[in-house]
Short mmCIF file of all heavy atoms in Angstrom, two decimals:
data_model
loop_
_atom_site.label_atom_id
_atom_site.label_comp_id
_atom_site.label_asym_id
_atom_site.label_seq_id
_atom_site.Cartn_x
_atom_site.Cartn_y
_atom_site.Cartn_z
N MET E 7 -70.99 -25.48 -36.92
CA MET E 7 -71.66 -25.07 -38.15
C MET E 7 -72.69 -23.99 -37.86
O MET E 7 -73.45 -24.09 -36.90
CB MET E 7 -72.34 -26.28 -38.80
CG MET E 7 -71.36 -27.23 -39.49
SD MET E 7 -70.44 -26.39 -40.78
CE MET E 7 -68.91 -27.32 -40.74
N GLY E 8 -72.71 -22.98 -38.69
CA GLY E 8 -73.65 -21.90 -38.47
C GLY E 8 -75.06 -22.31 -38.85
O GLY E 8 -75.27 -23.10 -39.76
N LYS E 9 -76.00 -21.77 -38.13
CA LYS E 9 -77.39 -21.99 -38.50
C LYS E 9 -77.86 -20.80 -39.32
O LYS E 9 -77.31 -19.71 -39.23
CB LYS E 9 -78.24 -22.10 -37.24
CG LYS E 9 -77.87 -23.30 -36.39
CD LYS E 9 -78.58 -23.22 -35.05
CE LYS E 9 -78.04 -24.32 -34.12
NZ LYS E 9 -78.40 -24.07 -32.72
N CYS E 10 -78.90 -21.03 -40.09
CA CYS E 10 -79.39 -19.99 -40.98
C CYS E 10 -79.68 -18.70 -40.21
O CYS E 10 -79.38 -17.60 -40.67
CB CYS E 10 -80.65 -20.46 -41.69
SG CYS E 10 -80.31 -21.75 -42.90
N LYS E 11 -80.27 -18.85 -39.03
CA LYS E 11 -80.60 -17.67 -38.24
C LYS E 11 -79.35 -16.87 -37.90
O LYS E 11 -79.33 -15.64 -37.96
CB LYS E 11 -81.31 -18.13 -36.96
CG LYS E 11 -81.99 -17.02 -36.21
CD LYS E 11 -82.73 -17.63 -35.03
CE LYS E 11 -83.30 -16.52 -34.14
NZ LYS E 11 -83.91 -17.09 -32.93
N ASP E 12 -78.28 -17.58 -37.54
CA ASP E 12 -77.03 -16.91 -37.20
C ASP E 12 -76.38 -16.28 -38.43
O ASP E 12 -75.86 -15.16 -38.39
CB ASP E 12 -76.05 -17.91 -36.59
CG ASP E 12 -76.60 -18.53 -35.31
OD1 ASP E 12 -77.28 -17.82 -34.56
OD2 ASP E 12 -76.33 -19.72 -35.09
N ILE E 13 -76.43 -17.01 -39.53
CA ILE E 13 -75.77 -16.53 -40.75
C ILE E 13 -76.46 -15.29 -41.30
O ILE E 13 -75.80 -14.31 -41.65
CB ILE E 13 -75.75 -17.66 -41.81
CG1 ILE E 13 -74.94 -18.86 -41.30
CG2 ILE E 13 -75.16 -17.13 -43.11
CD1 ILE E 13 -73.53 -18.55 -40.90
N THR E 14 -77.77 -15.32 -41.34
CA THR E 14 -78.47 -14.14 -41.86
C THR E 14 -78.25 -12.94 -40.94
O THR E 14 -78.14 -11.81 -41.40
CB THR E 14 -79.98 -14.41 -42.02
OG1 THR E 14 -80.50 -14.90 -40.79
CG2 THR E 14 -80.22 -15.44 -43.10
N ARG E 15 -78.16 -13.22 -39.66
CA ARG E 15 -77.86 -12.14 -38.71
C ARG E 15 -76.48 -11.53 -39.00
O ARG E 15 -76.32 -10.31 -39.04
CB ARG E 15 -77.91 -12.73 -37.29
CG ARG E 15 -77.40 -11.82 -36.21
CD ARG E 15 -78.37 -10.67 -35.94
NE ARG E 15 -77.89 -9.87 -34.84
CZ ARG E 15 -78.06 -10.18 -33.56
NH1 ARG E 15 -78.70 -11.29 -33.23
NH2 ARG E 15 -77.60 -9.41 -32.61
N LEU E 16 -75.51 -12.41 -39.22
CA LEU E 16 -74.17 -11.91 -39.52
C LEU E 16 -74.15 -11.12 -40.82
O LEU E 16 -73.47 -10.09 -40.93
CB LEU E 16 -73.19 -13.09 -39.61
CG LEU E 16 -72.83 -13.77 -38.29
CD1 LEU E 16 -71.92 -14.98 -38.56
CD2 LEU E 16 -72.14 -12.80 -37.36
N LEU E 17 -74.89 -11.61 -41.81
CA LEU E 17 -74.90 -10.93 -43.10
C LEU E 17 -75.47 -9.53 -42.97
O LEU E 17 -74.96 -8.59 -43.59
CB LEU E 17 -75.73 -11.75 -44.11
CG LEU E 17 -75.06 -13.03 -44.60
CD1 LEU E 17 -76.05 -13.86 -45.41
CD2 LEU E 17 -73.83 -12.71 -45.43
N SER E 18 -76.49 -9.38 -42.15
CA SER E 18 -77.01 -8.02 -41.98
C SER E 18 -76.11 -7.19 -41.07
O SER E 18 -75.96 -6.00 -41.27
CB SER E 18 -78.46 -8.01 -41.47
OG SER E 18 -78.72 -9.09 -40.66
N ASP E 19 -75.47 -7.84 -40.11
CA ASP E 19 -74.51 -7.12 -39.27
C ASP E 19 -73.36 -6.57 -40.11
O ASP E 19 -72.80 -5.50 -39.82
CB ASP E 19 -73.93 -8.05 -38.20
CG ASP E 19 -74.86 -8.20 -37.01
OD1 ASP E 19 -75.95 -7.60 -37.04
OD2 ASP E 19 -74.49 -8.90 -36.07
N ALA E 20 -72.99 -7.31 -41.15
CA ALA E 20 -71.85 -6.92 -41.97
C ALA E 20 -72.07 -5.57 -42.63
O ALA E 20 -71.12 -4.91 -43.04
CB ALA E 20 -71.59 -7.99 -43.03
N LEU E 21 -73.33 -5.15 -42.74
CA LEU E 21 -73.61 -3.84 -43.32
C LEU E 21 -73.25 -2.73 -42.35
O LEU E 21 -73.01 -1.60 -42.74
CB LEU E 21 -75.09 -3.73 -43.69
CG LEU E 21 -75.60 -4.76 -44.69
CD1 LEU E 21 -77.09 -4.55 -44.92
CD2 LEU E 21 -74.84 -4.68 -45.99
N ASP E 22 -73.23 -3.05 -41.07
CA ASP E 22 -73.07 -2.02 -40.04
C ASP E 22 -71.73 -2.07 -39.33
O ASP E 22 -71.31 -1.09 -38.74
CB ASP E 22 -74.17 -2.17 -38.99
CG ASP E 22 -75.55 -2.01 -39.59
OD1 ASP E 22 -75.70 -1.17 -40.50
OD2 ASP E 22 -76.47 -2.73 -39.17
N ARG E 23 -71.11 -3.22 -39.37
CA ARG E 23 -69.84 -3.33 -38.63
C ARG E 23 -68.94 -4.33 -39.34
O ARG E 23 -69.38 -5.09 -40.20
CB ARG E 23 -70.11 -3.80 -37.20
CG ARG E 23 -70.67 -5.22 -37.11
CD ARG E 23 -70.81 -5.67 -35.67
NE ARG E 23 -71.41 -6.99 -35.56
CZ ARG E 23 -70.71 -8.11 -35.59
NH1 ARG E 23 -69.40 -8.08 -35.75
NH2 ARG E 23 -71.31 -9.29 -35.50
N ARG E 24 -67.68 -4.32 -38.92
CA ARG E 24 -66.74 -5.29 -39.45
C ARG E 24 -66.95 -6.63 -38.76
O ARG E 24 -66.99 -6.70 -37.54
CB ARG E 24 -65.30 -4.84 -39.17
CG ARG E 24 -64.80 -3.84 -40.15
CD ARG E 24 -63.38 -3.44 -39.78
NE ARG E 24 -62.84 -2.50 -40.75
CZ ARG E 24 -62.29 -2.87 -41.89
NH1 ARG E 24 -62.16 -4.15 -42.19
NH2 ARG E 24 -61.84 -1.97 -42.74
N LEU E 25 -67.05 -7.66 -39.55
CA LEU E 25 -67.15 -8.99 -38.96
C LEU E 25 -65.75 -9.52 -38.67
O LEU E 25 -64.77 -9.13 -39.30
CB LEU E 25 -67.85 -9.95 -39.93
CG LEU E 25 -69.28 -9.56 -40.34
CD1 LEU E 25 -69.87 -10.68 -41.19
CD2 LEU E 25 -70.15 -9.29 -39.15
N THR E 26 -65.69 -10.40 -37.70
CA THR E 26 -64.41 -11.03 -37.38
C THR E 26 -64.11 -12.10 -38.42
O THR E 26 -64.97 -12.54 -39.17
CB THR E 26 -64.47 -11.69 -36.00
OG1 THR E 26 -65.38 -12.78 -36.05
CG2 THR E 26 -64.92 -10.70 -34.93
N ALA E 27 -62.85 -12.54 -38.42
CA ALA E 27 -62.46 -13.60 -39.35
C ALA E 27 -63.28 -14.86 -39.11
O ALA E 27 -63.68 -15.55 -40.05
CB ALA E 27 -60.97 -13.90 -39.19
N GLY E 28 -63.54 -15.14 -37.85
CA GLY E 28 -64.33 -16.32 -37.53
C GLY E 28 -65.76 -16.23 -38.03
O GLY E 28 -66.35 -17.23 -38.46
N GLU E 29 -66.30 -15.01 -38.00
CA GLU E 29 -67.66 -14.82 -38.50
C GLU E 29 -67.72 -14.98 -40.01
O GLU E 29 -68.63 -15.61 -40.56
CB GLU E 29 -68.17 -13.44 -38.07
CG GLU E 29 -68.48 -13.39 -36.58
CD GLU E 29 -68.74 -11.99 -36.08
OE1 GLU E 29 -68.25 -11.02 -36.70
OE2 GLU E 29 -69.44 -11.85 -35.08
N TRP E 30 -66.72 -14.42 -40.70
CA TRP E 30 -66.67 -14.61 -42.14
C TRP E 30 -66.49 -16.08 -42.49
O TRP E 30 -67.03 -16.57 -43.49
CB TRP E 30 -65.53 -13.80 -42.75
CG TRP E 30 -65.85 -12.34 -42.91
CD1 TRP E 30 -65.16 -11.31 -42.38
CD2 TRP E 30 -66.92 -11.77 -43.66
NE1 TRP E 30 -65.77 -10.12 -42.74
CE2 TRP E 30 -66.83 -10.36 -43.53
CE3 TRP E 30 -67.95 -12.30 -44.44
CZ2 TRP E 30 -67.74 -9.51 -44.14
CZ3 TRP E 30 -68.86 -11.44 -45.04
CH2 TRP E 30 -68.73 -10.05 -44.88
N LEU E 31 -65.72 -16.78 -41.66
CA LEU E 31 -65.51 -18.20 -41.91
C LEU E 31 -66.82 -18.96 -41.80
O LEU E 31 -67.14 -19.80 -42.64
CB LEU E 31 -64.49 -18.74 -40.90
CG LEU E 31 -64.10 -20.21 -41.10
CD1 LEU E 31 -63.39 -20.39 -42.44
CD2 LEU E 31 -63.20 -20.67 -39.96
N ALA E 32 -67.60 -18.64 -40.77
CA ALA E 32 -68.89 -19.30 -40.60
C ALA E 32 -69.78 -19.05 -41.81
O ALA E 32 -70.46 -19.95 -42.30
CB ALA E 32 -69.56 -18.80 -39.33
N ILE E 33 -69.75 -17.82 -42.32
CA ILE E 33 -70.54 -17.50 -43.51
C ILE E 33 -70.02 -18.26 -44.72
O ILE E 33 -70.78 -18.85 -45.48
CB ILE E 33 -70.48 -15.98 -43.78
CG1 ILE E 33 -71.22 -15.23 -42.67
CG2 ILE E 33 -71.09 -15.64 -45.14
CD1 ILE E 33 -71.06 -13.72 -42.74
N GLY E 34 -68.69 -18.28 -44.86
CA GLY E 34 -68.09 -18.93 -46.02
C GLY E 34 -68.33 -20.42 -46.04
O GLY E 34 -68.41 -21.02 -47.11
N VAL E 35 -68.45 -21.01 -44.87
CA VAL E 35 -68.72 -22.44 -44.80
C VAL E 35 -70.19 -22.72 -45.09
O VAL E 35 -70.54 -23.70 -45.73
CB VAL E 35 -68.33 -22.98 -43.40
CG1 VAL E 35 -68.86 -24.39 -43.19
CG2 VAL E 35 -66.82 -22.95 -43.23
N HIS E 36 -71.03 -21.82 -44.64
CA HIS E 36 -72.46 -22.08 -44.71
C HIS E 36 -73.06 -21.76 -46.09
O HIS E 36 -73.87 -22.52 -46.60
CB HIS E 36 -73.18 -21.26 -43.64
CG HIS E 36 -74.66 -21.50 -43.59
ND1 HIS E 36 -75.23 -22.55 -42.92
CD2 HIS E 36 -75.69 -20.83 -44.17
CE1 HIS E 36 -76.55 -22.50 -43.08
NE2 HIS E 36 -76.85 -21.47 -43.83
N LEU E 37 -72.65 -20.64 -46.67
CA LEU E 37 -73.31 -20.18 -47.89
C LEU E 37 -73.30 -21.20 -49.03
O LEU E 37 -74.32 -21.37 -49.69
CB LEU E 37 -72.68 -18.86 -48.37
CG LEU E 37 -73.16 -17.60 -47.69
CD1 LEU E 37 -72.61 -16.38 -48.41
CD2 LEU E 37 -74.67 -17.51 -47.64
N PRO E 38 -72.18 -21.88 -49.27
CA PRO E 38 -72.18 -22.84 -50.39
C PRO E 38 -73.18 -23.97 -50.19
O PRO E 38 -73.55 -24.64 -51.16
CB PRO E 38 -70.74 -23.37 -50.39
CG PRO E 38 -69.94 -22.33 -49.71
CD PRO E 38 -70.86 -21.75 -48.67
N THR E 39 -73.61 -24.18 -48.96
CA THR E 39 -74.51 -25.29 -48.70
C THR E 39 -75.96 -24.87 -48.58
O THR E 39 -76.82 -25.71 -48.38
CB THR E 39 -74.11 -25.98 -47.38
OG1 THR E 39 -74.43 -25.12 -46.29
CG2 THR E 39 -72.61 -26.29 -47.36
N CYS E 40 -76.23 -23.57 -48.68
CA CYS E 40 -77.57 -23.10 -48.34
C CYS E 40 -78.05 -22.05 -49.33
O CYS E 40 -77.58 -20.91 -49.30
CB CYS E 40 -77.55 -22.54 -46.92
SG CYS E 40 -79.17 -21.98 -46.39
N SER E 41 -78.95 -22.42 -50.19
CA SER E 41 -79.46 -21.47 -51.18
C SER E 41 -80.28 -20.37 -50.52
O SER E 41 -80.33 -19.25 -50.99
CB SER E 41 -80.29 -22.18 -52.24
OG SER E 41 -81.41 -22.81 -51.63
N GLY E 42 -80.91 -20.70 -49.41
CA GLY E 42 -81.71 -19.69 -48.71
C GLY E 42 -80.87 -18.53 -48.25
O GLY E 42 -81.24 -17.36 -48.44
N CYS E 43 -79.72 -18.83 -47.66
CA CYS E 43 -78.86 -17.76 -47.17
C CYS E 43 -78.16 -17.04 -48.33
O CYS E 43 -77.88 -15.86 -48.23
CB CYS E 43 -77.84 -18.31 -46.19
SG CYS E 43 -78.59 -18.74 -44.59
N ARG E 44 -77.90 -17.75 -49.41
CA ARG E 44 -77.33 -17.07 -50.58
C ARG E 44 -78.33 -16.06 -51.12
O ARG E 44 -77.98 -14.94 -51.49
CB ARG E 44 -76.96 -18.09 -51.67
CG ARG E 44 -75.69 -18.83 -51.35
CD ARG E 44 -75.09 -19.43 -52.62
NE ARG E 44 -76.00 -20.36 -53.29
CZ ARG E 44 -76.10 -21.65 -53.01
NH1 ARG E 44 -75.36 -22.18 -52.07
NH2 ARG E 44 -76.93 -22.42 -53.67
N ASN E 45 -79.57 -16.44 -51.17
CA ASN E 45 -80.61 -15.49 -51.62
C ASN E 45 -80.71 -14.31 -50.68
O ASN E 45 -80.86 -13.16 -51.12
CB ASN E 45 -81.96 -16.20 -51.71
CG ASN E 45 -82.06 -17.09 -52.93
OD1 ASN E 45 -81.36 -16.86 -53.92
ND2 ASN E 45 -82.89 -18.10 -52.86
N PHE E 46 -80.60 -14.58 -49.40
CA PHE E 46 -80.68 -13.49 -48.42
C PHE E 46 -79.54 -12.51 -48.64
O PHE E 46 -79.72 -11.29 -48.63
CB PHE E 46 -80.61 -14.07 -47.01
CG PHE E 46 -80.68 -13.01 -45.94
CD1 PHE E 46 -81.89 -12.49 -45.53
CD2 PHE E 46 -79.52 -12.52 -45.36
CE1 PHE E 46 -81.96 -11.51 -44.57
CE2 PHE E 46 -79.58 -11.54 -44.38
CZ PHE E 46 -80.80 -11.04 -43.99
N ARG E 47 -78.33 -13.06 -48.86
CA ARG E 47 -77.20 -12.18 -49.07
C ARG E 47 -77.41 -11.32 -50.31
O ARG E 47 -77.06 -10.14 -50.35
CB ARG E 47 -75.92 -13.00 -49.22
CG ARG E 47 -74.69 -12.13 -49.35
CD ARG E 47 -73.45 -12.92 -49.53
NE ARG E 47 -73.45 -13.68 -50.77
CZ ARG E 47 -72.39 -14.28 -51.27
NH1 ARG E 47 -71.25 -14.25 -50.63
NH2 ARG E 47 -72.46 -14.95 -52.39
N LYS E 48 -77.97 -11.94 -51.36
CA LYS E 48 -78.21 -11.20 -52.59
C LYS E 48 -79.19 -10.06 -52.34
O LYS E 48 -79.01 -8.94 -52.81
CB LYS E 48 -78.76 -12.16 -53.65
CG LYS E 48 -78.65 -11.66 -55.06
CD LYS E 48 -79.29 -12.64 -56.02
CE LYS E 48 -78.60 -14.00 -56.02
NZ LYS E 48 -79.24 -14.95 -56.95
N GLN E 49 -80.22 -10.37 -51.56
CA GLN E 49 -81.24 -9.36 -51.28
C GLN E 49 -80.68 -8.18 -50.50
O GLN E 49 -80.94 -7.03 -50.84
CB GLN E 49 -82.39 -9.99 -50.49
CG GLN E 49 -83.29 -10.84 -51.36
CD GLN E 49 -84.35 -11.55 -50.53
OE1 GLN E 49 -84.47 -11.31 -49.34
NE2 GLN E 49 -85.09 -12.44 -51.17
N ILE E 50 -79.90 -8.45 -49.47
CA ILE E 50 -79.41 -7.33 -48.68
C ILE E 50 -78.36 -6.55 -49.46
O ILE E 50 -78.20 -5.36 -49.26
CB ILE E 50 -78.87 -7.76 -47.30
CG1 ILE E 50 -77.70 -8.71 -47.44
CG2 ILE E 50 -79.96 -8.36 -46.45
CD1 ILE E 50 -77.04 -9.01 -46.09
N ALA E 51 -77.65 -7.22 -50.37
CA ALA E 51 -76.70 -6.50 -51.20
C ALA E 51 -77.44 -5.51 -52.10
O ALA E 51 -77.00 -4.37 -52.30
CB ALA E 51 -75.89 -7.47 -52.05
N GLN E 52 -78.59 -5.94 -52.61
CA GLN E 52 -79.38 -5.04 -53.45
C GLN E 52 -79.95 -3.90 -52.62
O GLN E 52 -79.97 -2.75 -53.06
CB GLN E 52 -80.52 -5.83 -54.12
CG GLN E 52 -80.02 -6.75 -55.22
CD GLN E 52 -81.09 -7.71 -55.70
OE1 GLN E 52 -82.14 -7.84 -55.08
NE2 GLN E 52 -80.81 -8.41 -56.78
N LEU E 53 -80.40 -4.21 -51.42
CA LEU E 53 -80.91 -3.17 -50.54
C LEU E 53 -79.84 -2.14 -50.23
O LEU E 53 -80.07 -0.94 -50.23
CB LEU E 53 -81.41 -3.78 -49.23
CG LEU E 53 -82.75 -4.51 -49.30
CD1 LEU E 53 -83.05 -5.12 -47.94
CD2 LEU E 53 -83.85 -3.56 -49.71
N ARG E 54 -78.63 -2.64 -49.98
CA ARG E 54 -77.53 -1.74 -49.65
C ARG E 54 -77.23 -0.82 -50.82
O ARG E 54 -77.05 0.37 -50.67
CB ARG E 54 -76.28 -2.57 -49.29
CG ARG E 54 -75.11 -1.73 -48.86
CD ARG E 54 -73.85 -2.57 -48.90
NE ARG E 54 -73.65 -3.11 -50.23
CZ ARG E 54 -72.86 -4.13 -50.52
NH1 ARG E 54 -72.23 -4.75 -49.58
NH2 ARG E 54 -72.71 -4.55 -51.76
N ASP E 55 -77.18 -1.41 -52.03
CA ASP E 55 -76.91 -0.60 -53.21
C ASP E 55 -78.01 0.44 -53.40
O ASP E 55 -77.75 1.58 -53.74
CB ASP E 55 -76.83 -1.49 -54.44
CG ASP E 55 -75.56 -2.34 -54.41
OD1 ASP E 55 -74.67 -2.03 -53.59
OD2 ASP E 55 -75.47 -3.31 -55.18
N ALA E 56 -79.25 0.03 -53.18
CA ALA E 56 -80.37 0.94 -53.37
C ALA E 56 -80.28 2.09 -52.38
O ALA E 56 -80.50 3.25 -52.74
CB ALA E 56 -81.69 0.19 -53.18
N SER E 57 -79.93 1.79 -51.14
CA SER E 57 -79.87 2.86 -50.14
C SER E 57 -78.72 3.81 -50.44
O SER E 57 -78.79 4.99 -50.16
CB SER E 57 -79.72 2.27 -48.74
OG SER E 57 -78.50 1.61 -48.60
N ARG E 58 -77.65 3.28 -51.03
CA ARG E 58 -76.55 4.15 -51.41
C ARG E 58 -76.99 5.12 -52.50
O ARG E 58 -76.65 6.29 -52.47
CB ARG E 58 -75.37 3.32 -51.94
CG ARG E 58 -74.45 2.90 -50.84
CD ARG E 58 -73.22 2.29 -51.43
NE ARG E 58 -72.42 1.64 -50.40
CZ ARG E 58 -71.47 0.76 -50.64
NH1 ARG E 58 -71.21 0.41 -51.87
NH2 ARG E 58 -70.78 0.23 -49.66
N GLU E 59 -77.75 4.61 -53.46
CA GLU E 59 -78.21 5.48 -54.53
C GLU E 59 -79.11 6.57 -53.98
O GLU E 59 -79.04 7.71 -54.39
CB GLU E 59 -78.95 4.65 -55.59
CG GLU E 59 -78.00 3.83 -56.45
CD GLU E 59 -78.76 2.99 -57.45
OE1 GLU E 59 -79.95 3.28 -57.69
OE2 GLU E 59 -78.17 2.04 -57.99
N ILE E 60 -79.96 6.19 -53.05
CA ILE E 60 -80.89 7.16 -52.47
C ILE E 60 -80.13 8.25 -51.71
O ILE E 60 -80.39 9.43 -51.85
CB ILE E 60 -81.89 6.45 -51.54
CG1 ILE E 60 -82.84 5.59 -52.38
CG2 ILE E 60 -82.67 7.47 -50.70
CD1 ILE E 60 -83.69 4.65 -51.55
N SER E 61 -79.15 7.82 -50.90
CA SER E 61 -78.42 8.79 -50.10
C SER E 61 -77.48 9.62 -50.96
O SER E 61 -77.09 10.71 -50.59
CB SER E 61 -77.63 8.09 -49.00
OG SER E 61 -76.60 7.31 -49.56
N GLY E 62 -77.11 9.08 -52.11
CA GLY E 62 -76.27 9.82 -53.03
C GLY E 62 -74.83 9.91 -52.61
O GLY E 62 -74.05 10.68 -53.16
N THR E 63 -74.44 9.10 -51.64
CA THR E 63 -73.06 9.11 -51.21
C THR E 63 -72.51 7.70 -51.21
O THR E 63 -73.24 6.74 -51.00
CB THR E 63 -72.92 9.68 -49.79
OG1 THR E 63 -73.73 8.92 -48.91
CG2 THR E 63 -73.33 11.13 -49.75
N ASP E 64 -71.25 7.59 -51.44
CA ASP E 64 -70.58 6.30 -51.41
C ASP E 64 -69.33 6.46 -50.58
O ASP E 64 -68.40 7.14 -50.96
CB ASP E 64 -70.23 5.85 -52.83
CG ASP E 64 -69.77 4.41 -52.83
OD1 ASP E 64 -69.08 4.02 -51.87
OD2 ASP E 64 -70.09 3.68 -53.78
N ARG E 65 -69.36 5.84 -49.41
CA ARG E 65 -68.27 6.06 -48.47
C ARG E 65 -66.94 5.53 -48.98
O ARG E 65 -65.90 6.03 -48.65
CB ARG E 65 -68.60 5.39 -47.13
CG ARG E 65 -69.59 6.16 -46.31
CD ARG E 65 -69.97 5.37 -45.09
NE ARG E 65 -70.63 4.11 -45.47
CZ ARG E 65 -71.04 3.20 -44.62
NH1 ARG E 65 -70.84 3.38 -43.34
NH2 ARG E 65 -71.63 2.11 -45.02
N GLU E 66 -67.02 4.48 -49.80
CA GLU E 66 -65.78 3.83 -50.19
C GLU E 66 -65.09 4.57 -51.33
O GLU E 66 -63.87 4.59 -51.42
CB GLU E 66 -66.06 2.39 -50.59
CG GLU E 66 -66.44 1.55 -49.37
CD GLU E 66 -67.04 0.22 -49.80
OE1 GLU E 66 -66.95 -0.11 -50.98
OE2 GLU E 66 -67.61 -0.45 -48.93
N THR E 67 -65.87 5.15 -52.25
CA THR E 67 -65.27 5.83 -53.37
C THR E 67 -65.90 7.22 -53.52
O THR E 67 -66.89 7.36 -54.23
CB THR E 67 -65.46 5.04 -54.67
OG1 THR E 67 -66.85 4.78 -54.82
CG2 THR E 67 -64.71 3.74 -54.63
N PRO E 68 -65.35 8.17 -52.84
CA PRO E 68 -65.85 9.54 -53.00
C PRO E 68 -65.78 9.98 -54.45
O PRO E 68 -64.83 9.65 -55.16
CB PRO E 68 -64.88 10.37 -52.14
CG PRO E 68 -64.24 9.40 -51.23
CD PRO E 68 -64.24 8.07 -51.94
N GLU E 69 -66.78 10.70 -54.90
CA GLU E 69 -66.86 10.99 -56.32
C GLU E 69 -65.75 11.92 -56.77
O GLU E 69 -65.05 11.66 -57.72
CB GLU E 69 -68.21 11.62 -56.64
CG GLU E 69 -69.32 10.57 -56.62
CD GLU E 69 -70.66 11.19 -56.94
OE1 GLU E 69 -70.68 12.37 -57.35
OE2 GLU E 69 -71.68 10.51 -56.78
N GLU E 70 -65.57 13.01 -56.07
CA GLU E 70 -64.50 13.91 -56.45
C GLU E 70 -63.95 14.64 -55.22
O GLU E 70 -64.72 14.99 -54.33
CB GLU E 70 -64.97 14.92 -57.49
CG GLU E 70 -66.32 15.52 -57.16
CD GLU E 70 -66.81 16.36 -58.31
OE1 GLU E 70 -67.43 15.83 -59.24
OE2 GLU E 70 -66.54 17.57 -58.29
N PRO E 71 -62.68 14.79 -55.18
CA PRO E 71 -62.09 15.50 -54.03
C PRO E 71 -62.44 16.98 -54.08
O PRO E 71 -62.50 17.58 -55.15
CB PRO E 71 -60.59 15.27 -54.21
CG PRO E 71 -60.41 15.03 -55.67
CD PRO E 71 -61.68 14.37 -56.15
N ARG E 72 -62.69 17.51 -52.90
CA ARG E 72 -62.93 18.95 -52.83
C ARG E 72 -61.60 19.67 -52.77
O ARG E 72 -60.79 19.42 -51.90
CB ARG E 72 -63.76 19.28 -51.60
CG ARG E 72 -65.24 19.05 -51.82
CD ARG E 72 -66.02 19.45 -50.60
NE ARG E 72 -65.73 18.55 -49.47
CZ ARG E 72 -66.18 18.75 -48.23
NH1 ARG E 72 -66.90 19.79 -47.98
NH2 ARG E 72 -65.91 17.90 -47.28
N SER E 73 -61.36 20.54 -53.70
CA SER E 73 -60.08 21.23 -53.68
C SER E 73 -60.28 22.69 -54.02
O SER E 73 -61.28 23.05 -54.62
CB SER E 73 -59.11 20.60 -54.69
OG SER E 73 -59.70 20.60 -55.97
ZN1 ZN F 108 -78.70 -21.02 -44.37
#
């Protein structure tokens, strides 16, 4: 079972790298049982969205192709 320290670490790592299936599994098992880590995930998701707005770029969905 993942500990909060490990889970929050993985959640922030997920912003920078791909997590393994096992890591996602640890998160998926832990989050439903822990409101603290759910809140943490919500917070970093908001931070990520905010930083995307600031940078003005979205890697996943480019706004328009250059042609
Ligand atoms: Zn937790």
Side-chain angles (χ1 to χ4, degrees):
M7 285 301 151
K9 297 170 188 164
C10 290
K11 193 176 173 185
D12 299 325
I13 298 303
T14 53
R15 170 72 176 279
L16 288 176
L17 287 171
S18 32
D19 279 1
L21 300 178
D22 300 323
R23 65 176 177 87
R24 279 179 178 276
L25 300 185
T26 67
E29 287 169 334
W30 281 122
L31 184 64
I33 292 172
V35 168
H36 183 83
L37 278 189
T39 71
C40 181
S41 61
C43 287
R44 284 200 301 273
N45 284 335
F46 180 83
R47 183 181 64 168
K48 198 183 297 180
Q49 284 174 7
I50 62 173
Q52 288 169 349
L53 285 177
R54 183 196 57 198
D55 290 346
S57 65
R58 272 189 190 163
E59 285 178 17
I60 290 169
S61 67
T63 57
D64 190 323
R65 283 174 298 178
E66 290 166 12
T67 54
E69 285 180 10
E70 45 188 86
R72 279 182 293 173
S73 55

